[in-house]
Amino acid sequence: VASLHSTGRDVVVADETTGGDTWQAFVTPFSATEAGGTQASNAVVIQGGPAVQNVVLASASGYGRTSEDLTVGYEMVGEAITTATAWTRDGSPLFGLYYPFEGGASNALVDFSGHGFNGTPGGDPVWVANGGRDGFGALQLDGNDFVDAGNCMSTGAYTKSAWVYWIDNAATLNNIVSGQSGHALWIADFDGAERLTAGHNESWFEVVDPDPFPPEVWTFVAVTYDPAVAGGTLTLYRDGVQISTAAGIPGNADPRAFVGVFAGGTYPMEGSVDDVRILPLALSADQIAALYNSSDTIVAAETAIGEVWQAQVTPFSVSGIGATLASNNLLVSDAATAVDGPAVPNRYQLF
């Protein structure tokens, strides 16, 4: 109000802006008897707080062919130091649960899947600002801590993945992402060593890493289950590489999920976790490798003709969350028709 009084209409004071806002002025000239043409200024993105801009989803050709990966690009601005990327396919969230563990202690247990499974802490898990596989935040568990993620687990096909920094404290059973009764992904004593393992329904060693699990180093782990393949197939991964698989595995009927513990208090893990994801589908080996390297790519093996994909990118500062910005929609097309004469790449289509 003071600015309007003293300077007229040409100033917007800082109190009226928020980090990530885009502002533009529209100026109209007047003579004594008429108005001239209105001219628009350039657009200015306010650089306070974490924000992203220019979020674009594309494939190499721009046509979104089934043979091409889909990659989202963007710019971090303001106070943004890192981002989390979630996805929708045909308008539905791809992830069943997604904990990036970024943006400060008050935001550490926010679920970015789109399903709202914000975590409930058990014990006293601690958010560490410079922790994590990328140094932008992680959740530290001291052997008595965990996160209750609720009933976010698929009882059909699934994928569970996380980055883990495990401390070998002589405990022989260390849960990473496990259930109330029916599923477990953990580091457990098997054949004389602590190994990454997973299973269902009291058969907890269905897939086992042939090598001991490395302590005190950030390691990417994942397990997938596909009930439609070979009577139920579990596949285990470490650092993006398949290390074990087993067929004929009965399904999981347990929808509950915990981070760092089994059954709400049994066999806790000591160490730290980052980027925990649960999906209601079995990701391909190519997509697991892509997750190990980046969360900004959907590989060609995950897409099908006619699907519409979109990325949602959320920026984080050291202690805050910025506004999530959605990319354009990208329609996956048939490679045979995409080269049949001139066409406009679908990255320019409006939905």
Side-chain angles (χ1 to χ4, degrees), residues 44 60 84 89 101 110 138 166 181 193 214 262 268 302 337:
V44 173
R89 179 175 56 187
F101 298 129
V110 175
W166 169 63
S181 60
F262 181 79
E302 301 298 328
T337 60

Side-chain angles (χ1 to χ4, degrees), residues 158 160 173 178 181-186 188 190 197-208 223 225 234 246-252 262:
Y158 69 76
K160 297 187 285 188
L173 302 168
S178 300
S181 60
H183 62 94
L185 172 64
W186 58 350
F190 182 86
T197 180
H200 296 164
N201 308 317
E202 303 292 335
S203 297
W204 306 126
F205 300 94
E206 298 285 14
V207 284
V208 180
V223 62
Y225 177 68
L234 270 172
I249 308 300
N252 160 59
F262 181 79

Side-chain angles (χ1 to χ4, degrees), residues 112-128:
F112 286 87
S113 70
H115 291 292
F117 287 110
N118 294 340
T120 300
D124 187 27
V126 175
W127 183 75
V128 180

